Amino acid sequence: MAVFESTPFRLTSSVYFRIAVRQKLPKVALSLALPILILLAAGAIFDSRMLFIALMIAFIFAPVVMSHIYYSTLLQPEARRALSLQRAIVESGRKITLVFLKTENKPTEKDNEGGLSEYTPKMSDNQHLLSATGSDSDTKAEKLVKVGETIYSWNSISEISLFSRNLVIWLVGVSLPVVIPLSAMPADFDPYSIETVSGKN
């Protein structure tokens, strides 16, 4: 069984917004297109002022629809966690684990010489996952610590697709998809093999 582990990544809200637009806009656009087409036809046949009314409807409702998609997607409770620093572990055919991280600054020796107390790691359940020390002595070392994780069973996957160099995994009963940048995955990771294993396209 193949196991792929990504490097830590953070997504912006625009990624989820574009995915939501691709999913929801066709349904909304179809319902708005019908009255606009009727007004355009009426304006061409009966009264040209109907053409302006059709344009007014389009320009008024288009921003409203886009705002509705944005707020209905990114004001959900899951959105805050989805936009946080995370790492994905994909076990083909079994589960997907999202490990949520945060950064901690470690004072350098120069800080300690200035009178700061010696750095002592917090005694908690947080697990240190990665350490990175800057080359400059003035740069504070950053550590990524685990703050939580979410595990999704492979059976809960409803659809897997690719969108703008991102692997998008839709889950049953979860409004926001799991989005993993392909740039964060190992070089030998093949997203099409994930689709084949899951059996859902």
Side-chain angles (χ1 to χ4, degrees), residues 116-171:
L116 296 178
S117 61
E118 185 178 356
Y119 172 75
T120 303
K122 295 181 179 179
M123 301 302 294
S124 65
D125 293 332
N126 291 341
Q127 177 184 359
H128 292 283
L129 299 177
L130 180 64
S131 297
T133 305
S135 57
D136 192 343
S137 60
D138 292 334
T139 304
K140 293 186 177 181
E142 285 190 347
K143 288 190 176 182
L144 298 183
V145 296
K146 175 181 174 180
V147 295
E149 69 176 29
T150 301
I151 300 175
Y152 298 106
S153 169
W154 206 260
N155 294 329
S156 64
I157 297 176
S158 61
E159 181 183 352
I160 298 178
S161 61
L162 293 176
F163 177 75
S164 183
R165 296 295 298 168
N166 294 301
L167 183 67
V168 183
I169 303 173
W170 293 95
L171 303 161

Side-chain angles (χ1 to χ4, degrees), residues 58-69:
F59 284 114
I60 290 174
F61 281 95
V64 172
V65 169
M66 300 300 284
S67 298
H68 170 71
I69 294 175

Side-chain angles (χ1 to χ4, degrees), residues 3-9 86-90 97-99 101 179-186 189:
V3 178
F4 301 98
E5 182 174 337
S6 73
T7 57
F9 63 88
Q86 56 190 289
R87 181 167 57 92
I89 303 173
V90 178
T97 304
L98 296 180
V99 180
L101 312 167
V179 182
I180 305 173
L182 295 180
S183 58
M185 297 300 289
F189 174 73

